[in-house]
Amino acid sequence: MNTTASCRFCGGPLAEFVDLGMSPLCESYIAKGQLNSMEPFYPLAAYVCRDCVLVQLQEHVAPENIFSEYAYFSAYSDTWLDHARRYVETMTERLGLGSTSRVIELGSNDGYLLQYFVERGVPVLGIDPAANVAGAAEQRGVPTLVKFFGVETARELAEGGIRADLVLGNNVLAQVANLNSFVEGIGLILKPNGVCTIEFPHLLETIAGNQFDQIYHEHFSYFTALTAEKIFMAHGMRIFHVEELWTHGGSLRIYACHAGDATHSTEASVSRLMHREREAGLHRLETYADFAERVLATKRKLLSFLIEAKNCGKSLAGYGAPGKGNTLLNYCGIRTDFLDYTVDRNPYKQGKYLPGTHIPIFPPEKIAETRPDYVLILPWNLKDEIMAQLAYIRSWGARFVVPIPEVSVI
Ligand SMILES: [Zn+2]
């Protein structure tokens, strides 16, 4: 696919990274009454900047159309809640946060994380453009501003005297169309010695693990520590620490402060990780060229398995209805011809259908009722949690199928 667009960070020219064809918005679950209506599909192709090697999508869909009502409620995953609770404990201690501090979360979703700061008496403010999830946050006692974050919102807050000791953003940086405005805004609301932590799926892991299903329209950018540093530096901030996390198939948490803030010296973790990224060749354009071929091979292996299973008369159900599952199913062309249905714990998704593939979504109990031979785990990053919850499928001899990094039957 050709593009004339330029890099959303530096304005440089783009080269193709991987083309996943046409796909619907992966969080646009279909209600029964919409099944016979037209459904918009958009190109799902990722590019890499020839100048700064930031991997990115073009903006085919305005963020207002994606994020004003969002089906992803964070509070439905136990593993995710544990992750949030531990983060709050660590940061409260590390930064000595208390009743005179302030924490601002960008993309605060349903308040699943900030609720733990509220429990500890630390004042918080959530910012999220989706009114429906913000409503759920308010019910948890998390004050939430329903807005897109950028320079404009940051100025309003700073002028109103609202600045933060801790600004955090989990899996939100990827979803920002105007990257420069967002990162500049962080600098504006960060107190002089404040700390910002940002989590995002690590492109190093995405590439190494064939995780092409991390790519979807809602994720405009895909980062390494190397590219993140360039972006924060360009806006007067410095990354002083990085942590590698298991979330989303391998994520990074970067810690940033104002560039001139001497209270946070740069730790060895930063140069160690950047060294590894350079060793993996992530600073060079050529490294990005062979990913597309590996993605095609992953697709063929998964389809071979499914065709073989169906030829043997086996039945398959899915587990989960995550955004990444929709990229996988649409790209591979897997519909109810292979997968009878999927299940999800989120009541918002139950009774609806997956975008594009129109696979129905049921509550998890459906699996025990229908006893499929295989359960395909779509949020494969949570496979241990899911296999433990669904251990009962072994009682009728069923097995789990994990699609990424390549199909495996467990
Ligand atoms: Zn660039």
Side-chain angles (χ1 to χ4, degrees):
M1 190 163 293
N2 291 316
T3 178
T4 52
S6 52
C7 174
R8 67 165 34 86
F9 166 56
C10 78
L14 303 178
E16 186 172 305
F17 178 50
V18 64
D19 184 354
L20 300 173
M22 299 292 287
S23 214
L25 295 184
C26 75
E27 296 284 348
S28 302
Y29 296 88
I30 307 283
K32 200 179 181 82
Q34 298 172 307
L35 281 174
N36 296 327
S37 303
M38 285 212 297
E39 195 180 355
F41 278 58
Y42 303 92
L44 186 54
Y47 299 88
V48 56
C49 174
R50 290 177 185 276
D51 290 345
C52 75
V53 297
L54 177 67
V55 170
Q56 57 200 287
L57 302 190
Q58 281 183 255
E59 192 183 326
H60 296 292
V61 196
E64 290 75 17
N65 295 338
I66 300 181
F67 299 114
S68 329
E69 184 178 322
Y70 206 45
Y72 187 85
F73 285 76
S74 303
Y76 287 106
S77 162
D78 296 339
T79 318
W80 198 238
L81 287 174
D82 276 350
H83 175 66
R85 195 181 293 118
R86 276 199 306 274
Y87 168 85
V88 171
E89 271 169 30
T90 310
M91 294 309 290
T92 307
E93 203 169 306
R94 186 176 173 134
L95 303 179
L97 300 174
S99 59
T100 57
S101 318
R102 180 179 278 116
V103 177
I104 297 182
E105 183 176 13
L106 311 174
S108 48
N109 199 266
D110 54 9
Y112 74 100
L113 189 149
L114 287 179
Q115 66 180 340
Y116 299 120
F117 280 116
V118 172
E119 275 174 15
R120 287 163 177 266
V122 180
V124 302
L125 176 66
I127 303 178
D128 200 292
N132 63 330
V133 290
E138 293 276 357
Q139 281 173 13
R140 283 199 173 85
V142 174
T144 306
L145 190 62
V146 181
K147 269 198 169 162
F148 280 95
F149 182 76
V151 169
E152 202 181 318
T153 307
R155 272 206 194 107
E156 284 170 23
L157 289 170
E159 279 163 14
I162 298 179
R163 296 174 94 191
D165 300 273
L166 172 63
V167 176
L168 70 118
N170 291 346
N171 301 300
V172 61
L173 195 64
Q175 305 185 346
V176 170
N178 192 340
L179 194 55
N180 286 314
S181 169
F182 188 89
V183 177
E184 193 182 332
I186 292 175
L188 293 175
I189 57 167
L190 201 59
K191 287 184 185 172
N193 299 125
V195 169
C196 162
T197 73
I198 299 281
E199 291 180 25
F200 47 80
H202 192 187
L203 185 62
L204 179 70
E205 301 292 338
T206 305
I207 291 179
N210 284 334
Q211 301 169 1
F212 63 87
D213 58 349
Q214 302 277 17
I215 298 171
Y216 41 89
H217 294 110
E218 287 83 344
H219 282 179
F220 294 120
S221 311
Y222 303 81
F223 304 94
T224 57
L226 290 166
T227 50
E229 180 179 65
K230 282 182 205 168
I231 296 162
F232 276 78
M233 292 246 301
H235 297 286
M237 284 174 280
R238 168 170 57 85
I239 296 177
F240 66 90
H241 181 45
V242 289
E243 286 168 354
E244 290 178 84
L245 310 171
W246 53 268
T247 50
H248 293 287
S251 297
L252 282 189
R253 178 187 292 152
I254 57 167
Y255 292 69
C257 60
H258 290 291
D261 176 4
T263 57
H264 304 285
S265 51
T266 306
E267 299 177 24
S269 57
V270 180
S271 56
R272 262 203 311 266
L273 181 68
M274 289 186 183
H275 178 69
R276 266 181 50 220
E277 290 185 348
R278 280 199 196 88
E279 283 202 317
L282 292 176
H283 60 307
R284 283 184 290 120
L285 201 55
E286 303 82 72
T287 309
Y288 295 85
D290 74 334
F291 183 65
E293 189 47 52
R294 287 194 285 126
V295 169
L296 282 169
T298 307
K299 170 178 178 170
R300 287 194 295 265
K301 280 181 193 152
L302 177 58
L303 285 174
S304 298
F305 166 79
L306 293 173
I307 291 167
E308 180 62 21
K310 291 311 278 186
N311 283 343
C312 296
K314 304 290 189 190
S315 60
L316 290 109
Y319 186 93
K324 59 162 65 72
N326 290 323
T327 290
L328 179 89
L329 298 171
N330 276 294
Y331 171 63
C332 295
I334 299 166
R335 286 175 266 276
T336 49
D337 44 2
F338 289 116
L339 214 54
D340 296 333
Y341 62 87
T342 191
V343 298
D344 201 282
R345 288 170 75 186
N346 181 348
Y348 184 92
K349 296 180 182 175
Q350 293 166 4
K352 293 201 170 73
Y353 295 77
L354 297 183
T357 59
H358 291 192
I359 293 169
I361 309 167
F362 290 101
E365 295 74 40
K366 181 84 171 174
I367 289 179
E369 284 165 32
T370 64
R371 299 181 158 221
D373 297 303
Y374 293 105
V375 173
L376 175 65
I377 299 179
L378 294 170
W380 45 262
N381 52 307
L382 301 174
K383 65 176 189 288
D384 294 335
E385 173 185 344
I386 291 163
M387 288 194 287
Q389 277 168 15
L390 267 63
Y392 60 82
I393 72 164
R394 309 277 187 200
S395 68
W396 64 84
R399 300 177 78 186
F400 296 102
V401 182
V402 180
I404 301 285
E406 60 181 52
V407 63
S408 62
V409 180
I410 302 168

PDB file of all heavy atoms in Angstrom, residues 2 11 13 32 47 62 71 83 120 161 172-173 183 190 199 235-237 239 262 272 283 305 311 351 356 381 392:
ATOM      1  N   ASN A   2       0.522   2.196  -0.828  1.00  0.00           N
ATOM      2  CA  ASN A   2       1.333   3.416  -0.906  1.00  0.00           C
ATOM      3  C   ASN A   2       0.774   4.488   0.013  1.00  0.00           C
ATOM      4  O   ASN A   2      -0.404   4.531   0.293  1.00  0.00           O
ATOM      5  CB  ASN A   2       1.341   3.953  -2.339  1.00  0.00           C
ATOM      6  CG  ASN A   2       2.116   3.019  -3.250  1.00  0.00           C
ATOM      7  OD1 ASN A   2       3.190   2.561  -2.883  1.00  0.00           O
ATOM      8  ND2 ASN A   2       1.559   2.715  -4.399  1.00  0.00           N
ATOM      9  N   GLY A  11       7.610  14.271  10.904  1.00  0.00           N
ATOM     10  CA  GLY A  11       7.270  14.756   9.569  1.00  0.00           C
ATOM     11  C   GLY A  11       8.034  14.073   8.457  1.00  0.00           C
ATOM     12  O   GLY A  11       7.879  14.419   7.280  1.00  0.00           O
ATOM     13  N   PRO A  13       9.424  10.937   5.798  1.00  0.00           N
ATOM     14  CA  PRO A  13       8.691  10.053   4.883  1.00  0.00           C
ATOM     15  C   PRO A  13       8.512   8.647   5.469  1.00  0.00           C
ATOM     16  O   PRO A  13       9.305   8.200   6.295  1.00  0.00           O
ATOM     17  CB  PRO A  13       9.599  10.014   3.646  1.00  0.00           C
ATOM     18  CG  PRO A  13      10.972  10.288   4.170  1.00  0.00           C
ATOM     19  CD  PRO A  13      10.810  11.174   5.378  1.00  0.00           C
ATOM     20  N   LYS A  32     -27.344  -7.043  17.464  1.00  0.00           N
ATOM     21  CA  LYS A  32     -28.103  -7.945  16.588  1.00  0.00           C
ATOM     22  C   LYS A  32     -28.816  -7.169  15.465  1.00  0.00           C
ATOM     23  O   LYS A  32     -28.789  -7.588  14.311  1.00  0.00           O
ATOM     24  CB  LYS A  32     -29.123  -8.714  17.423  1.00  0.00           C
ATOM     25  CG  LYS A  32     -29.611  -9.983  16.759  1.00  0.00           C
ATOM     26  CD  LYS A  32     -30.609 -10.719  17.642  1.00  0.00           C
ATOM     27  CE  LYS A  32     -31.080 -12.003  16.980  1.00  0.00           C
ATOM     28  NZ  LYS A  32     -30.166 -13.117  17.162  1.00  0.00           N
ATOM     29  N   TYR A  47       3.232   1.618   9.005  1.00  0.00           N
ATOM     30  CA  TYR A  47       4.403   2.173   8.311  1.00  0.00           C
ATOM     31  C   TYR A  47       5.510   2.451   9.322  1.00  0.00           C
ATOM     32  O   TYR A  47       5.250   2.558  10.516  1.00  0.00           O
ATOM     33  CB  TYR A  47       4.014   3.470   7.593  1.00  0.00           C
ATOM     34  CG  TYR A  47       2.948   3.268   6.557  1.00  0.00           C
ATOM     35  CD1 TYR A  47       1.604   3.328   6.905  1.00  0.00           C
ATOM     36  CD2 TYR A  47       3.284   2.968   5.244  1.00  0.00           C
ATOM     37  CE1 TYR A  47       0.607   3.107   5.958  1.00  0.00           C
ATOM     38  CE2 TYR A  47       2.306   2.751   4.287  1.00  0.00           C
ATOM     39  CZ  TYR A  47       0.971   2.821   4.655  1.00  0.00           C
ATOM     40  OH  TYR A  47      -0.002   2.590   3.715  1.00  0.00           O
ATOM     41  N   ALA A  62     -11.196   9.511  12.566  1.00  0.00           N
ATOM     42  CA  ALA A  62     -10.966  10.541  13.575  1.00  0.00           C
ATOM     43  C   ALA A  62     -11.089   9.935  14.961  1.00  0.00           C
ATOM     44  O   ALA A  62     -11.982   9.122  15.204  1.00  0.00           O
ATOM     45  CB  ALA A  62     -11.984  11.661  13.405  1.00  0.00           C
ATOM     46  N   ALA A  71     -15.774   0.364  24.482  1.00  0.00           N
ATOM     47  CA  ALA A  71     -16.293  -0.881  25.076  1.00  0.00           C
ATOM     48  C   ALA A  71     -15.309  -1.520  26.036  1.00  0.00           C
ATOM     49  O   ALA A  71     -15.635  -2.461  26.730  1.00  0.00           O
ATOM     50  CB  ALA A  71     -16.643  -1.873  23.968  1.00  0.00           C
ATOM     51  N   HIS A  83      -2.223  -5.829  38.623  1.00  0.00           N
ATOM     52  CA  HIS A  83      -1.155  -5.021  38.047  1.00  0.00           C
ATOM     53  C   HIS A  83      -1.307  -3.567  38.513  1.00  0.00           C
ATOM     54  O   HIS A  83      -0.350  -2.932  38.947  1.00  0.00           O
ATOM     55  CB  HIS A  83      -1.244  -5.127  36.528  1.00  0.00           C
ATOM     56  CG  HIS A  83      -0.285  -4.261  35.779  1.00  0.00           C
ATOM     57  ND1 HIS A  83       1.079  -4.452  35.821  1.00  0.00           N
ATOM     58  CD2 HIS A  83      -0.482  -3.199  34.957  1.00  0.00           C
ATOM     59  CE1 HIS A  83       1.664  -3.539  35.054  1.00  0.00           C
ATOM     60  NE2 HIS A  83       0.749  -2.776  34.528  1.00  0.00           N
ATOM     61  N   ARG A 120      -6.048   5.312  49.265  1.00  0.00           N
ATOM     62  CA  ARG A 120      -4.918   5.725  50.095  1.00  0.00           C
ATOM     63  C   ARG A 120      -4.953   7.209  50.445  1.00  0.00           C
ATOM     64  O   ARG A 120      -3.998   7.746  50.990  1.00  0.00           O
ATOM     65  CB  ARG A 120      -3.609   5.422  49.357  1.00  0.00           C
ATOM     66  CG  ARG A 120      -3.293   3.953  49.331  1.00  0.00           C
ATOM     67  CD  ARG A 120      -2.267   3.620  48.279  1.00  0.00           C
ATOM     68  NE  ARG A 120      -1.966   2.198  48.356  1.00  0.00           N
ATOM     69  CZ  ARG A 120      -0.956   1.688  49.049  1.00  0.00           C
ATOM     70  NH1 ARG A 120      -0.124   2.469  49.684  1.00  0.00           N
ATOM     71  NH2 ARG A 120      -0.762   0.389  49.079  1.00  0.00           N
ATOM     72  N   GLY A 161      -4.182  26.032  38.149  1.00  0.00           N
ATOM     73  CA  GLY A 161      -3.369  25.608  39.292  1.00  0.00           C
ATOM     74  C   GLY A 161      -3.328  24.109  39.492  1.00  0.00           C
ATOM     75  O   GLY A 161      -2.941  23.618  40.560  1.00  0.00           O
ATOM     76  N   VAL A 172      -2.092   4.413  26.522  1.00  0.00           N
ATOM     77  CA  VAL A 172      -2.827   5.533  25.944  1.00  0.00           C
ATOM     78  C   VAL A 172      -1.959   6.247  24.908  1.00  0.00           C
ATOM     79  O   VAL A 172      -2.462   6.748  23.912  1.00  0.00           O
ATOM     80  CB  VAL A 172      -3.324   6.505  27.047  1.00  0.00           C
ATOM     81  CG1 VAL A 172      -2.170   7.101  27.817  1.00  0.00           C
ATOM     82  CG2 VAL A 172      -4.180   7.606  26.473  1.00  0.00           C
ATOM     83  N   LEU A 173      -0.635   6.236  25.107  1.00  0.00           N
ATOM     84  CA  LEU A 173       0.253   6.946  24.178  1.00  0.00           C
ATOM     85  C   LEU A 173       0.085   6.411  22.752  1.00  0.00           C
ATOM     86  O   LEU A 173       0.098   7.166  21.786  1.00  0.00           O
ATOM     87  CB  LEU A 173       1.716   6.791  24.627  1.00  0.00           C
ATOM     88  CG  LEU A 173       2.711   7.740  23.976  1.00  0.00           C
ATOM     89  CD1 LEU A 173       2.416   9.184  24.348  1.00  0.00           C
ATOM     90  CD2 LEU A 173       4.147   7.395  24.350  1.00  0.00           C
ATOM     91  N   VAL A 183       2.413  14.845  24.337  1.00  0.00           N
ATOM     92  CA  VAL A 183       3.626  14.783  25.152  1.00  0.00           C
ATOM     93  C   VAL A 183       3.992  16.183  25.661  1.00  0.00           C
ATOM     94  O   VAL A 183       4.402  16.346  26.808  1.00  0.00           O
ATOM     95  CB  VAL A 183       4.783  14.116  24.371  1.00  0.00           C
ATOM     96  CG1 VAL A 183       6.064  14.124  25.188  1.00  0.00           C
ATOM     97  CG2 VAL A 183       4.409  12.676  24.003  1.00  0.00           C
ATOM     98  N   LEU A 190       3.134  18.704  34.611  1.00  0.00           N
ATOM     99  CA  LEU A 190       4.051  18.039  35.530  1.00  0.00           C
ATOM    100  C   LEU A 190       4.714  19.081  36.433  1.00  0.00           C
ATOM    101  O   LEU A 190       5.283  20.056  35.953  1.00  0.00           O
ATOM    102  CB  LEU A 190       5.112  17.304  34.699  1.00  0.00           C
ATOM    103  CG  LEU A 190       5.886  16.158  35.328  1.00  0.00           C
ATOM    104  CD1 LEU A 190       4.946  15.050  35.803  1.00  0.00           C
ATOM    105  CD2 LEU A 190       6.879  15.594  34.300  1.00  0.00           C
ATOM    106  N   GLU A 199       3.064   3.568  29.986  1.00  0.00           N
ATOM    107  CA  GLU A 199       3.211   2.168  29.586  1.00  0.00           C
ATOM    108  C   GLU A 199       2.699   1.982  28.166  1.00  0.00           C
ATOM    109  O   GLU A 199       1.690   2.562  27.783  1.00  0.00           O
ATOM    110  CB  GLU A 199       2.409   1.251  30.525  1.00  0.00           C
ATOM    111  CG  GLU A 199       2.977   1.189  31.924  1.00  0.00           C
ATOM    112  CD  GLU A 199       2.166   0.281  32.843  1.00  0.00           C
ATOM    113  OE1 GLU A 199       1.489  -0.640  32.343  1.00  0.00           O
ATOM    114  OE2 GLU A 199       2.212   0.516  34.068  1.00  0.00           O
ATOM    115  N   HIS A 235      10.335  17.358  23.704  1.00  0.00           N
ATOM    116  CA  HIS A 235       9.411  18.186  24.489  1.00  0.00           C
ATOM    117  C   HIS A 235       9.963  18.481  25.883  1.00  0.00           C
ATOM    118  O   HIS A 235       9.205  18.671  26.840  1.00  0.00           O
ATOM    119  CB  HIS A 235       8.037  17.517  24.543  1.00  0.00           C
ATOM    120  CG  HIS A 235       7.407  17.403  23.194  1.00  0.00           C
ATOM    121  ND1 HIS A 235       6.871  18.488  22.527  1.00  0.00           N
ATOM    122  CD2 HIS A 235       7.305  16.357  22.338  1.00  0.00           C
ATOM    123  CE1 HIS A 235       6.438  18.103  21.344  1.00  0.00           C
ATOM    124  NE2 HIS A 235       6.688  16.814  21.190  1.00  0.00           N
ATOM    125  N   GLY A 236      11.282  18.507  25.984  1.00  0.00           N
ATOM    126  CA  GLY A 236      11.927  18.979  27.215  1.00  0.00           C
ATOM    127  C   GLY A 236      11.887  18.006  28.375  1.00  0.00           C
ATOM    128  O   GLY A 236      11.992  18.409  29.530  1.00  0.00           O
ATOM    129  N   MET A 237      11.702  16.726  28.080  1.00  0.00           N
ATOM    130  CA  MET A 237      11.699  15.742  29.164  1.00  0.00           C
ATOM    131  C   MET A 237      12.758  14.670  28.919  1.00  0.00           C
ATOM    132  O   MET A 237      13.260  14.503  27.817  1.00  0.00           O
ATOM    133  CB  MET A 237      10.307  15.122  29.311  1.00  0.00           C
ATOM    134  CG  MET A 237       9.322  16.063  29.997  1.00  0.00           C
ATOM    135  SD  MET A 237       7.643  15.408  30.028  1.00  0.00           S
ATOM    136  CE  MET A 237       7.107  15.812  28.383  1.00  0.00           C
ATOM    137  N   ILE A 239      13.915  10.550  29.859  1.00  0.00           N
ATOM    138  CA  ILE A 239      13.561   9.246  30.431  1.00  0.00           C
ATOM    139  C   ILE A 239      14.683   8.856  31.388  1.00  0.00           C
ATOM    140  O   ILE A 239      15.840   8.790  30.987  1.00  0.00           O
ATOM    141  CB  ILE A 239      13.398   8.191  29.316  1.00  0.00           C
ATOM    142  CG1 ILE A 239      12.213   8.578  28.406  1.00  0.00           C
ATOM    143  CG2 ILE A 239      13.180   6.803  29.900  1.00  0.00           C
ATOM    144  CD1 ILE A 239      11.983   7.656  27.230  1.00  0.00           C
ATOM    145  N   ALA A 262      17.248  17.660  38.498  1.00  0.00           N
ATOM    146  CA  ALA A 262      18.401  16.908  39.005  1.00  0.00           C
ATOM    147  C   ALA A 262      18.007  15.888  40.076  1.00  0.00           C
ATOM    148  O   ALA A 262      18.817  15.071  40.494  1.00  0.00           O
ATOM    149  CB  ALA A 262      19.436  17.879  39.576  1.00  0.00           C
ATOM    150  N   ARG A 272      20.897   0.188  29.257  1.00  0.00           N
ATOM    151  CA  ARG A 272      20.872  -1.276  29.041  1.00  0.00           C
ATOM    152  C   ARG A 272      19.815  -1.666  28.014  1.00  0.00           C
ATOM    153  O   ARG A 272      20.076  -2.431  27.089  1.00  0.00           O
ATOM    154  CB  ARG A 272      20.554  -1.989  30.364  1.00  0.00           C
ATOM    155  CG  ARG A 272      21.783  -2.517  31.106  1.00  0.00           C
ATOM    156  CD  ARG A 272      21.436  -3.651  32.056  1.00  0.00           C
ATOM    157  NE  ARG A 272      20.294  -3.354  32.929  1.00  0.00           N
ATOM    158  CZ  ARG A 272      20.406  -2.843  34.155  1.00  0.00           C
ATOM    159  NH1 ARG A 272      21.605  -2.585  34.662  1.00  0.00           N
ATOM    160  NH2 ARG A 272      19.345  -2.608  34.895  1.00  0.00           N
ATOM    161  N   HIS A 283      17.069   0.374  15.530  1.00  0.00           N
ATOM    162  CA  HIS A 283      17.386   1.752  15.116  1.00  0.00           C
ATOM    163  C   HIS A 283      17.583   1.832  13.602  1.00  0.00           C
ATOM    164  O   HIS A 283      17.776   2.907  13.051  1.00  0.00           O
ATOM    165  CB  HIS A 283      18.646   2.242  15.837  1.00  0.00           C
ATOM    166  CG  HIS A 283      19.867   1.405  15.571  1.00  0.00           C
ATOM    167  ND1 HIS A 283      19.888   0.031  15.756  1.00  0.00           N
ATOM    168  CD2 HIS A 283      21.105   1.734  15.120  1.00  0.00           C
ATOM    169  CE1 HIS A 283      21.080  -0.439  15.439  1.00  0.00           C
ATOM    170  NE2 HIS A 283      21.835   0.573  15.050  1.00  0.00           N
ATOM    171  N   PHE A 305      -4.047 -25.221  10.809  1.00  0.00           N
ATOM    172  CA  PHE A 305      -4.555 -25.927  11.990  1.00  0.00           C
ATOM    173  C   PHE A 305      -6.084 -25.952  11.989  1.00  0.00           C
ATOM    174  O   PHE A 305      -6.712 -26.990  12.218  1.00  0.00           O
ATOM    175  CB  PHE A 305      -4.052 -25.274  13.286  1.00  0.00           C
ATOM    176  CG  PHE A 305      -4.798 -25.753  14.495  1.00  0.00           C
ATOM    177  CD1 PHE A 305      -4.496 -26.984  15.071  1.00  0.00           C
ATOM    178  CD2 PHE A 305      -5.857 -25.014  15.018  1.00  0.00           C
ATOM    179  CE1 PHE A 305      -5.224 -27.456  16.160  1.00  0.00           C
ATOM    180  CE2 PHE A 305      -6.590 -25.479  16.095  1.00  0.00           C
ATOM    181  CZ  PHE A 305      -6.273 -26.709  16.669  1.00  0.00           C
ATOM    182  N   ASN A 311     -11.805 -30.414   9.274  1.00  0.00           N
ATOM    183  CA  ASN A 311     -11.873 -31.628   8.450  1.00  0.00           C
ATOM    184  C   ASN A 311     -12.062 -32.872   9.314  1.00  0.00           C
ATOM    185  O   ASN A 311     -12.621 -33.862   8.877  1.00  0.00           O
ATOM    186  CB  ASN A 311     -10.611 -31.782   7.587  1.00  0.00           C
ATOM    187  CG  ASN A 311     -10.638 -30.847   6.386  1.00  0.00           C
ATOM    188  OD1 ASN A 311     -11.706 -30.328   6.030  1.00  0.00           O
ATOM    189  ND2 ASN A 311      -9.488 -30.625   5.760  1.00  0.00           N
ATOM    190  N   GLY A 351     -23.940 -10.840  23.956  1.00  0.00           N
ATOM    191  CA  GLY A 351     -25.130 -10.604  23.127  1.00  0.00           C
ATOM    192  C   GLY A 351     -24.819  -9.822  21.871  1.00  0.00           C
ATOM    193  O   GLY A 351     -25.663  -9.669  20.998  1.00  0.00           O
ATOM    194  N   GLY A 356     -16.861  -7.141  11.821  1.00  0.00           N
ATOM    195  CA  GLY A 356     -16.301  -7.761  10.618  1.00  0.00           C
ATOM    196  C   GLY A 356     -16.639  -9.228  10.489  1.00  0.00           C
ATOM    197  O   GLY A 356     -17.299  -9.649   9.542  1.00  0.00           O
ATOM    198  N   ASN A 381      -2.171 -13.011  25.645  1.00  0.00           N
ATOM    199  CA  ASN A 381      -1.296 -12.444  26.677  1.00  0.00           C
ATOM    200  C   ASN A 381      -1.801 -12.789  28.077  1.00  0.00           C
ATOM    201  O   ASN A 381      -1.055 -12.721  29.043  1.00  0.00           O
ATOM    202  CB  ASN A 381      -1.181 -10.920  26.504  1.00  0.00           C
ATOM    203  CG  ASN A 381      -2.532 -10.239  26.420  1.00  0.00           C
ATOM    204  OD1 ASN A 381      -3.369 -10.625  25.605  1.00  0.00           O
ATOM    205  ND2 ASN A 381      -2.759  -9.261  27.249  1.00  0.00           N
ATOM    206  N   TYR A 392     -11.685 -26.605  33.670  1.00  0.00           N
ATOM    207  CA  TYR A 392     -12.746 -27.626  33.592  1.00  0.00           C
ATOM    208  C   TYR A 392     -12.956 -28.185  32.188  1.00  0.00           C
ATOM    209  O   TYR A 392     -13.544 -29.245  32.033  1.00  0.00           O
ATOM    210  CB  TYR A 392     -14.061 -27.059  34.140  1.00  0.00           C
ATOM    211  CG  TYR A 392     -14.575 -25.842  33.408  1.00  0.00           C
ATOM    212  CD1 TYR A 392     -15.291 -25.965  32.216  1.00  0.00           C
ATOM    213  CD2 TYR A 392     -14.344 -24.560  33.905  1.00  0.00           C
ATOM    214  CE1 TYR A 392     -15.765 -24.844  31.547  1.00  0.00           C
ATOM    215  CE2 TYR A 392     -14.805 -23.436  33.242  1.00  0.00           C
ATOM    216  CZ  TYR A 392     -15.519 -23.577  32.060  1.00  0.00           C
ATOM    217  OH  TYR A 392     -15.966 -22.478  31.392  1.00  0.00           O
TER     218      TYR A 392
END
